[in-house]
Amino acid sequence: RMFSTIDTHDFETKVNQAVKFLQGGDKLKVSVRFRKRAIAHPELGSELLDRFKEAVSEAGTVDKPAKMEGRSIVMFVSPKAAK
């Protein structure tokens, strides 16, 4: 779970943890929560999930694309099949 105003280092930490989980064979549910008036700019959350998708593209693929659910945007990522 991330917030729409996440800092660069925090984002990199989340990506590293996600890659570790994907390499272990686990699926991920990635969500971006919006606080207070940040809900007025959902494009920021979409851009954040696009960056996340690019960062974990070596270890996983997107099962379900980003979708707005209440005050958050949710995306599901599964590990790539072992070759």
Side-chain angles (χ1 to χ4, degrees), residues 26-49:
D26 297 323
K27 289 185 176 185
L28 298 176
K29 177 182 180 182
V30 184
S31 64
V32 176
R33 300 270 326 229
F34 294 101
R35 293 181 182 159
K36 301 180 184 175
R37 287 191 248 169
I39 193 75
H41 301 287
E43 66 276 1
L44 296 176
S46 298
E47 291 171 8
L48 183 63
L49 285 178

Side-chain angles (χ1 to χ4, degrees), residues 16 20 35 43 45 52:
N16 291 336
K20 189 187 305 184
R35 293 181 182 159
E43 66 276 1
F52 189 87

